[in-house]
Amino acid sequence: MLDRLPLLIGLRYVRAKRRNHFISFISLTSMLGLMLGVAVLILVLSVMNGFDHELRTRILGMVPHTKIESRSGLVEWEAMAERLMQRERVIGAAPYVQQQGMFSVGGRNEGAMVNGIHPEWEDRVSIIGRHMQRGSLDDLQPGEWNIVLGSLLARHLGVGVGDRVTLLVPEASITPAGVFPRLKRFTVSGIFSVGADLDANLAYANIEDMQTLARLGDAVGGLRLELDDLFVAASETRAIINELGTGYRGIDWTFSHGNLFQAIQMEKRMIALLLTVIIAVAAFNIVSTLVMVVTDKHADIAILRTIGATPRSIMGIFVVQGMAIGVIGIAIGVALGILLALTISDLIGWVESALGIQFLDAGVYFISDLPSRLHWDDVRNIVAAAFGLTFLSTLYPAWRASRVQPAEVLRYE
């Protein structure tokens, strides 16, 4: 019976009504603090995981993991593509011609990057084909001067499929009449949307048309490579350049979007640290609760000691009481956090549609909706940290209770 004494009395103290309502209030606030801290931490980490996942799938699905270029352009690019595809890490390759330019329609001007692509090869390195709102990449046939625009770019220009746009490139053409900027009329044959900032500054045309516009002849600007693991892009790029020799250069995704990925990782760590502090504050409120309970229960402790309870048993009673408060708060917080993490995207979408506003504008942020991705490892780590902090907060009050001297207490009873 004495072995079960700490558990039985500790749980009884949790359920019992107290004469001192302030103690009950402190216990409730400790429980609520743990619940909110755990729930918010699960929700925020899930949202940060969602941003991380969207960056990898959307942004890096459109942006090449690495690019291999030559100073004079690549002429025999098909042979090089087959050669690089033999590497263990390379799972896709496609040629490209990239040209910075400005689109002009009816007095509206928008700058964008135009990628000349080979429609049959592009699916090997890009997700663009799976995000076409209208039209198809197969419409980009050589000599037809068709172009595919991002949805935001098309909206800013006020054009749709079938409309014509003028592309001005920052290179001059010398004619008998003088020096004029190089320009070409394209027909919009498709519109894509990935829900990211690329929708506002990216367009696709046929690679042969772009070779003609850039005056490259049979050469292409380079090869875009898809790797089986984007985090080996830097080392794999160096290895490829060392294998190819001089005259080539490699550019991996960390040069263009690495800072964004690093910022998300840093924000995730800092937010997790700050919210863990909130959990710690809530957990250590249990110290105040238990100290007041110990003071209130001096007589009960003295009686238990006189009937044979050891200091270890007395300490166990208040550890059980504190942990019970923590377990209830943590359990409710975990359930609430998981529920919010799984529904926050739909909830925000409903609020946006109900109020007619948009919280994330793809023209400002790199995605247009609030992503959430629940990782069970994060939940386990949060629960473990909350349990650990709660247990630590019970030790001092429980130790104080075990030090109560029965003779001193009962002398005045």
Side-chain angles (χ1 to χ4, degrees):
M1 182 67 182
L2 290 177
D3 293 337
R4 299 174 57 194
L5 188 68
L7 180 62
L8 295 175
I9 297 181
L11 295 178
R12 180 180 178 84
Y13 278 174
V14 174
R15 299 192 306 268
K17 293 183 179 179
R18 298 185 178 88
R19 297 184 300 272
N20 190 339
H21 296 291
F22 184 67
I23 298 177
S24 300
F25 174 75
I26 296 297
S27 299
L28 180 62
T29 56
S30 302
M31 191 181 301
L32 291 177
L34 281 170
M35 178 191 73
L36 292 176
V38 169
V40 171
L41 185 53
I42 291 174
L43 174 61
V44 171
L45 290 185
S46 297
V47 171
M48 297 303 294
N49 291 333
F51 274 100
D52 177 77
H53 180 261
E54 292 300 315
L55 173 64
R56 298 189 192 189
T57 57
R58 291 195 190 184
I59 306 300
L60 296 181
M62 298 286 289
V63 174
H65 289 175
T66 188
K67 296 189 297 185
I68 304 299
E69 298 178 346
S70 174
R71 297 173 185 174
S72 57
L74 300 179
V75 178
E76 298 179 356
W77 60 268
E78 292 187 56
M80 178 175 289
E82 294 298 329
R83 174 183 174 185
L84 295 178
M85 284 287 293
Q86 301 301 316
R87 298 184 64 87
E88 180 181 359
R89 292 289 190 177
V90 180
I91 59 176
Y96 72 92
V97 173
Q98 198 168 65
Q99 181 71 62
Q100 184 76 37
M102 177 180 291
F103 289 101
S104 179
V105 180
R108 297 181 180 181
N109 300 307
E110 292 289 337
M113 182 68 72
V114 183
N115 281 340
I117 63 172
H118 197 301
E120 297 179 1
W121 289 63
E122 189 63 17
D123 285 341
R124 303 182 183 185
V125 298
S126 173
I127 63 172
I128 177 64
R130 301 194 295 270
H131 290 271
M132 295 295 297
Q133 286 186 333
R134 299 183 64 185
S136 170
L137 292 182
D138 294 333
D139 297 329
L140 300 179
Q141 297 301 316
E144 296 185 3
W145 297 96
N146 289 333
I147 197 164
V148 173
L149 302 178
S151 57
L152 292 177
L153 179 58
R155 186 190 308 171
H156 295 161
L157 292 172
V159 297
V161 173
D163 293 332
R164 295 178 66 83
V165 296
T166 301
L167 175 64
L168 293 83
V169 297
E171 295 181 11
S173 297
I174 301 176
T175 68
V179 179
F180 293 93
R182 192 180 306 171
L183 52 87
K184 183 62 183 179
R185 297 273 287 179
F186 285 85
T187 300
V188 179
S189 63
I191 295 175
F192 71 86
S193 175
V194 292
D197 60 345
L198 298 175
D199 294 340
N201 53 37
L202 192 60
Y204 290 90
N206 185 272
I207 192 169
E208 294 186 22
D209 292 342
M210 294 305 297
Q211 285 174 317
T212 302
L213 185 61
R215 298 177 179 176
L216 292 176
D218 295 331
V220 299
L223 287 174
R224 300 170 61 190
L225 302 181
E226 180 86 0
L227 306 178
D228 61 351
D229 184 358
L230 62 92
F231 293 107
V232 301
S235 59
E236 185 68 12
T237 301
R238 288 193 297 269
I240 291 174
I241 295 303
N242 291 335
E243 178 184 321
L244 295 177
T246 58
Y248 296 93
R249 68 170 183 169
I251 304 172
D252 62 82
W253 67 272
T254 59
F255 284 92
S256 58
H257 290 80
N259 56 343
L260 180 59
F261 180 81
Q262 292 171 0
I264 290 177
Q265 294 298 309
M266 179 61 70
E267 289 175 4
K268 180 180 177 180
R269 297 189 189 100
M270 294 306 299
I271 289 175
L273 177 61
L274 292 175
L275 293 179
T276 302
V277 172
I278 295 177
I279 295 177
V281 172
F284 282 103
N285 278 340
I286 297 176
V287 175
S288 303
T289 301
L290 294 182
V291 166
M292 287 187 287
V293 171
V294 169
T295 303
D296 190 54
K297 300 293 184 181
H298 267 190
D300 295 354
I301 296 171
I303 293 172
L304 289 172
R305 290 293 306 278
T306 58
I307 62 175
T310 63
R312 182 176 179 180
S313 298
I314 299 299
M315 189 172 179
I317 291 172
F318 292 96
V319 169
V320 168
Q321 182 183 358
M323 290 301 296
I325 296 172
V327 166
I328 295 172
I330 294 169
I332 298 174
V334 168
L336 180 61
I338 292 175
L339 177 64
L340 289 174
L342 295 176
T343 60
I344 188 64
S345 298
D346 295 333
L347 181 62
I348 293 298
W350 179 82
V351 172
E352 289 179 339
S353 62
L355 301 180
I357 59 176
Q358 187 174 12
F359 291 110
L360 297 177
D361 184 358
V364 179
Y365 306 97
F366 72 92
I367 60 174
S368 58
D369 55 354
L370 186 67
S372 178
R373 194 171 182 85
L374 181 66
H375 288 176
W376 293 109
D377 286 342
D378 289 338
V379 176
R380 284 193 291 268
N381 292 336
I382 292 169
V383 170
F387 270 115
L389 292 172
T390 301
F391 177 73
L392 290 176
S393 68
T394 65
L395 294 181
Y396 175 72
W399 176 78
R400 286 285 302 273
S402 69
R403 302 285 293 177
V404 171
Q405 298 297 324
E408 293 293 330
V409 174
L410 296 178
R411 178 183 303 174
Y412 302 101
E413 291 293 330

